[in-house]
Amino acid sequence: MTAAMNAASLLATLMAGDPALAGKLDGGIVLLVAVKVVVAFAVLLVAVMLYIWGMRKVIADMQNRIGPATAGPFGVLQTLADGVKLFFKEQSIPSSADRTVFRLAPYLSILPAFLMFCVIPIGGTVSMFGHRTNLQVADLPMGVLFILAMSGIGVYGVMLAGWSSGSKYPLLGSVRASAQVLSYEAAFGLGILGVLIQAGTLSTRGIAAQQAWVSWRSIFTDWYLLPCLIPFAIFLIAAVAETNHPPFDLVEAEQELVGGFHTEYTGIRFAIFFLAEFMNVITMSAVAVTLFLGGPSGPAFGFLPAQGSVNVWFVPVFWFLVKLLALLFGTVWLRASLPRLRYDQLMALGWKWLIEIAILWVMVSAGFVVARDRDWPLWAYGAITGSGLLAWGMLYLSIPKPGEPVEDFR
Amino acid sequence: MEAVVFFVLAAIALTGALGVVLSRNPVYSALFLVLAMITIAGFFVMQDADLVAIIQIVVYASAIVVLFLFVIMLLGVDRHENLNDPLRLQRPLAIGLGLLLIGEVLVLAGREWVTGESSVRGALDEPATGNVERLARSLFTDFFWPFEVTAALLVIAVVGGVVLARRSRRPAATASGDDA
């Protein structure tokens, strides 16, 4: 086995499923991967720019204002102007700060946000530089778990930023943030598990492929939107909480914490935190599109040749972007309309409702999948599910409610 | 090629491990621990054990070290460590066991030297069955009993921890309500 073959097999393990990496490794493939990484990063940066502009415009419209209007047509370059301004501002470091960690923290928060986006399939399989490849940076066999891992790693940025600032309010903000993200990680994972049980694969491309477009009925039968409606709701709530997006933005509650974990940050480091936050919002919406809304699946343009470059290159990306925009509009709507939750409400929602409902749903749908695979009659499945729910209900009733007298342990 | 990847990863992992021990600041130790954990996940990927690699990151690099950092941050890192051991034999014992471990590793390294190749048992990710299926099959068939016993043990530990941490002050306690 030659060294090149070894490298190819190593890369194939990392990115299994991409046809370009199945064979021997050559310069073209390296170039291909490099181009995909750079393009993905640039697309994400531009998407954040446009998202911030769109968010300000939509919120302004909802509040009967005009919003950014001077920089560029319709103010579309406003974010760029803000970015340039932040780039040239002075970067101060507090004297009580831990300087190394203080400098490191912004990059720790932006790296997972980008890596998470790498496993999202945004289009079909196309030809580039003479190789067949997926429009996706990496198709990991464990893609969905990789998303979970990266959202877990993302806590470090916020946590270390607050701690290393060496002052009170950032620390409080970062303790809140890590508690919130850790609490909702469970509900987030269980929401995804609802899809995984139905799909039977951990690859994001595999999940998207199972929701491929056949006819208009695919929306109801092939997409995981209806079969996993409850996990979808749980996933959306948990993802909003994971990204510290309103109404779960207790991390940066101005009234209580000055600015939260980024109080002491200025200039480009401050901008990087916000870049990471909005990248996370976009990536989480993209994950939701991939898992529940069919990813790039959508009707081809019938008046054009089916194997033409428009239908192969453009149409899947177009449908992906349409769904992504719908979800992103939803996040802006949330930001414009909902007041911030109290801390105890946040914890109660996560621990007392979302996790319980998600676990129940995982059990019910696992039973359903087994019954479908084994051709069990409906009544048998109903009896098993019913007895399970009964047992759960009895357990629930046995938990002492507020104000109810309980025996002392000592 | 695989040997190069192995040695680069090994160098990073050793840097992380040394950093954990040598850092004076516990937060730095925790960060070096993250570095070591993620590099170990890289070793698992080299052995075609993708699932274990991801679990390594999800469980160790994120959940457990975040918990460490949480405790360190809440307790404060400015306090000076008390270097007087309560157990007097602890330090010589640790040095002795450490030397024993080094000797063991050196003896093993004298016989087998790293090549970076996959382990002789073969890849976990065979074309017929995926990584997850293989792991699930051994967990739910051969190792079903130890697996369930471990799960039960963890539940007992959690319940025990809750009971021990729960200190009721009032003689006739009521379940804590919203205002408690």
Side-chain angles (χ1 to χ4, degrees):
Chain A
M1 210 189 253
T2 61
M5 284 292 285
N6 275 343
S9 74
L10 188 67
L11 263 178
T13 317
L14 284 171
M15 306 180 183
D18 199 329
L21 299 166
K24 212 167 165 297
L25 190 75
D26 62 20
I29 295 174
V30 174
L31 181 70
L32 184 75
V33 173
V35 164
K36 280 204 284 190
V37 170
V38 171
V39 167
F41 191 64
V43 162
L44 206 51
L45 284 182
V46 173
V48 168
M49 197 187 102
L50 292 177
Y51 175 70
I52 295 175
W53 168 75
M55 177 185 81
R56 293 179 65 179
K57 273 296 199 193
V58 170
I59 292 181
D61 200 51
M62 286 175 177
Q63 296 168 343
N64 260 339
R65 294 186 285 117
I66 297 172
T70 43
F74 305 105
V76 73
L77 296 178
Q78 184 62 49
T79 321
L80 199 61
D82 289 343
V84 170
K85 181 192 73 178
L86 283 169
F87 199 80
F88 287 110
K89 273 196 164 182
E90 185 194 351
Q91 300 190 47
S92 63
I93 299 183
S95 58
S96 60
D98 187 311
R99 304 178 73 89
T100 321
V101 181
F102 189 84
R103 287 206 188 92
L104 184 70
Y107 305 103
L108 277 183
S109 77
I110 200 166
L111 195 67
F114 171 63
L115 285 179
M116 214 194 296
F117 187 74
C118 289
V119 297
I120 309 289
I122 55 170
T125 307
V126 298
S127 289
M128 229 194 290
F129 307 119
H131 293 285
R132 303 269 303 153
T133 185
N134 299 328
L135 279 183
Q136 176 181 12
V137 175
D139 182 15
L140 305 177
M142 305 289 150
V144 177
L145 286 181
F146 184 79
I147 292 170
L148 279 177
M150 285 307 119
S151 79
I153 295 282
V155 191
Y156 282 114
V158 170
M159 202 173 185
L160 293 172
W163 172 78
S164 66
S165 296
S167 73
K168 200 180 290 170
Y169 290 116
L171 183 64
L172 285 174
S174 70
V175 167
R176 270 191 185 187
S178 12
Q180 174 177 338
V181 174
L182 288 181
S183 304
Y184 276 83
E185 197 108 320
F188 184 71
L190 286 168
I192 291 180
L193 198 55
V195 173
L196 295 184
I197 286 174
Q198 304 270 340
T201 174
L202 284 169
S203 148
T204 44
R205 180 157 287 270
I207 291 173
Q210 290 181 1
Q211 310 177 63
W213 189 263
V214 183
S215 66
W216 287 102
R217 288 182 54 204
S218 297
I219 297 178
F220 305 108
T221 55
D222 290 340
W223 291 9
Y224 289 122
L225 175 64
L226 283 185
C228 301
L229 198 59
I230 294 174
F232 186 42
I234 291 168
F235 177 88
L236 284 185
I237 298 174
V240 168
E242 286 262 306
T243 49
N244 300 328
H245 192 272
F248 300 105
D249 59 339
L250 295 104
V251 178
E252 41 201 88
E254 297 88 356
Q255 297 90 334
E256 303 152 24
L257 293 172
V258 189
F261 65 93
H262 53 66
T263 304
E264 305 287 356
Y265 279 86
T266 50
I268 193 67
R269 293 193 189 116
F270 176 80
I272 287 177
F273 276 120
F274 273 87
L275 197 60
E277 187 179 327
F278 288 117
M279 267 190 185
N280 271 326
V281 172
I282 292 173
T283 311
M284 284 294 182
S285 306
V287 171
V289 168
T290 306
L291 294 182
F292 297 96
L293 301 178
S297 100
F301 291 170
F303 53 88
L304 289 166
Q307 294 305 318
S309 57
V310 171
N311 270 336
V312 170
W313 270 87
F314 173 71
V315 169
V317 179
F318 172 74
W319 288 119
F320 185 86
L321 285 181
V322 166
K323 296 168 198 170
L324 186 64
L325 273 180
L327 282 184
L328 287 179
F329 182 78
T331 63
V332 174
W333 204 349
L334 284 180
R335 187 182 287 268
S337 49
L338 287 181
R340 186 180 296 133
L341 262 71
R342 237 176 28 230
Y343 194 70
D344 60 320
Q345 292 171 329
L346 173 92
M347 286 297 163
L349 178 67
W351 288 105
K352 293 183 185 167
W353 291 99
L354 290 185
I355 293 180
E356 270 78 353
I357 295 171
I359 289 179
L360 263 185
W361 180 260
V362 163
M363 293 198 302
V364 168
S365 74
F368 180 73
V369 169
V370 170
R372 192 183 57 193
D373 287 354
R374 299 273 166 92
D375 283 331
W376 286 353
L378 197 63
W379 62 264
Y381 170 64
I384 292 169
T385 314
S387 52
L389 285 178
L390 194 70
W392 183 83
M394 282 161 71
L395 260 180
Y396 177 75
L397 287 179
S398 68
I399 297 171
K401 304 291 171 299
E404 198 175 305
V406 291
E407 275 180 52
D408 199 349
F409 274 96
R410 284 194 301 177
Chain B
M1 177 66 193
E2 294 202 337
V4 172
V5 175
F6 176 84
F7 280 114
V8 170
L9 283 180
I12 301 172
L14 276 180
T15 315
L18 285 176
V20 173
V21 186
L22 297 178
S23 299
R24 294 224 160 246
N25 190 332
V27 173
Y28 283 32
S29 289
L31 288 180
F32 277 117
L33 192 59
V34 177
L35 182 68
M37 294 295 182
I38 290 180
T39 328
I40 290 169
F43 288 130
F44 283 130
V45 171
M46 282 186 69
Q47 300 290 332
D48 285 341
D50 306 347
L51 183 65
V52 187
I54 291 282
I55 289 174
Q56 171 83 14
I57 294 179
V58 171
V59 174
Y60 289 97
S62 71
I64 287 187
V65 183
V66 165
L67 204 65
F68 284 175
L69 272 179
F70 216 63
V71 172
I72 294 170
M73 276 164 46
L74 286 179
L75 293 183
V77 287
D78 303 328
R79 249 182 285 166
H80 284 286
E81 291 285 325
N82 184 8
L83 290 176
N84 297 326
D85 290 329
L87 299 170
R88 203 173 299 161
L89 274 176
Q90 204 175 358
R91 200 167 294 183
L93 200 64
I95 292 172
L97 285 176
L99 286 176
L100 196 66
L101 188 67
I102 289 178
E104 201 177 343
V105 169
L106 284 180
V107 166
L108 285 178
R111 291 181 180 194
E112 304 278 338
W113 189 238
V114 281
T115 57
E117 294 288 326
S118 287
S119 58
V120 281
R121 288 182 68 92
L124 196 64
D125 197 15
E126 283 169 7
T129 50
N131 219 316
V132 185
E133 284 85 350
R134 288 284 291 271
L135 203 71
R137 182 147 297 144
S138 51
L139 264 190
F140 288 105
T141 55
D142 296 349
F143 300 101
F144 182 69
W145 181 239
F147 179 64
E148 290 295 318
V149 168
T150 315
L153 190 69
L154 285 175
V155 170
I156 293 169
V158 168
V159 172
V162 170
V163 169
L164 287 178
R166 180 179 177 279
R167 234 178 263 154
S168 54
R169 300 216 176 77
R170 285 168 293 177
T174 58
S176 59
D178 284 333
D179 53 348

